[in-house]
Amino acid sequence: MSVEIENPYKRKKQPEVVRRALLDQAARITLEQGLSKVTFQAVADAAGVTKGGVMHHFATKNALVLEVFDDAMAKFEAEVEAAMAKDPVSHGAFTRAYIDATISLGEKAQEEYDNQATLYVLMLGDSELRELWAKWANTQLEKHAATDDTETLYMARLVADGIWLSDFSGINISDKKSLHDRLIKMTQPDFDNRSGQ
C-alpha cells in the first residue's frame, strides 16, 4: 500500500489562512517575547513558512506590526460594542464595556485576554501605535460624551487600565473580581450622580 505524500511546493495556496497565521504568530511573539523579537524570520519560523512568504504579505516589519495592532484593536472594539449593545442602561455603558473588556476575570477566554494583552504591549512599545490608541480612545470619548463624560467614569476607566497593567506585570491582586465589581458599581447612574458629577 502506497501513501501519497503531498508535495509542499504544489500544495493548495491559501493566502488568507497564511496571512491569519502570520498575524497570530506575530501577536504571540509580541506577547511572549516583546515587540523587539518580532522579526520576519521569527514569524516565518513560528508559522512554518519561508521568510519570503512573510515578505509576500508584508513589505516591512512596521506593516506587519501595524496590522497586528489593527487586528487586536478591531477585536477589542467589537468586544466593547457587543457589551454595550446588551447593556440596558445608557449612562456609563461605554465605561462598563471598557472595564469588562480590559479586566480579565476567570470566565474571560484566554484568547480575549491575549488579544487585549497584545494590544497593550504593542501600544506601550511604539509611539505611533500609542497615537492610534489615543485617537481611538478620544473618538470613543467624543462619541459617548453624553453618557460617559464624568470624572467618576474617567476614574473607573483609568483604574481598569491600572488593574490590567498590574495583572499583566505579575503583581498579585488579591481580589480582582471585587475590584471589577466596585468599578462597575461606580458606573451606575445613582452612584455617579451621588458623587456630584
Side-chain angles (χ1 to χ4, degrees):
M1 177 177 186
S2 68
V3 177
E4 190 172 318
I5 298 174
E6 184 179 330
N7 183 339
Y9 300 103
K10 296 205 181 231
R11 69 179 167 212
K12 185 177 175 184
K13 295 191 186 250
Q14 298 175 314
E16 288 308 310
V17 172
V18 171
R19 188 178 193 84
R20 177 79 258 157
L22 296 173
L23 291 173
D24 291 345
Q25 292 305 320
R28 185 189 59 75
I29 293 167
T30 298
L31 186 56
E32 293 176 0
Q33 301 174 38
L35 184 56
S36 65
K37 300 295 183 184
V38 177
T39 65
F40 279 165
Q41 191 62 59
V43 173
D45 291 346
V49 300
T50 64
K51 184 176 174 181
V54 179
M55 296 172 76
H56 172 75
H57 290 275
F58 304 100
T60 65
K61 175 184 171 178
N62 285 347
L64 170 61
V65 169
L66 181 59
E67 190 153 341
V68 170
F69 180 83
D70 287 344
D71 185 56
M73 190 72 246
K75 290 175 183 174
F76 180 76
E77 185 172 18
E79 187 178 349
V80 169
E81 288 179 358
M84 288 180 66
K86 295 177 193 171
D87 195 331
V89 179
S90 62
H91 179 85
F94 170 72
T95 300
R96 282 187 294 282
Y98 183 87
I99 290 167
D100 284 342
T102 301
I103 298 176
S104 174
L105 296 176
E107 66 273 6
K108 190 168 184 177
Q110 186 65 41
E111 183 179 335
E112 291 172 333
Y113 175 78
D114 289 350
N115 180 71
Q116 177 69 8
T118 300
L119 179 63
Y120 274 52
V121 169
L122 287 169
M123 178 197 45
L124 293 172
D126 184 278
S127 62
E128 180 184 347
L129 300 179
R130 277 193 301 279
E131 287 178 24
L132 291 175
W133 170 261
K135 182 178 178 182
W136 177 84
N138 288 327
T139 299
Q140 296 305 307
L141 294 176
E142 288 173 19
K143 182 177 173 182
H144 303 293
T147 59
D148 287 79
D149 188 20
T150 72
E151 190 175 272
T152 301
L153 296 176
Y154 273 95
M155 286 190 312
R157 291 188 301 269
L158 291 171
V159 170
D161 288 338
I163 291 169
W164 178 87
L165 186 57
S166 294
D167 190 32
F168 182 74
S169 300
I171 297 170
N172 186 22
I173 302 172
S174 60
D175 193 352
K176 190 168 41 170
K177 180 164 180 5
S178 177
L179 291 172
H180 169 273
D181 294 348
R182 287 182 74 182
L183 288 176
I184 294 297
K185 187 174 183 179
M186 288 172 62
T187 69
Q188 300 302 324
D190 58 336
F191 182 96
D192 201 20
N193 291 333
R194 278 198 321 264
S195 68
Q197 301 306 315

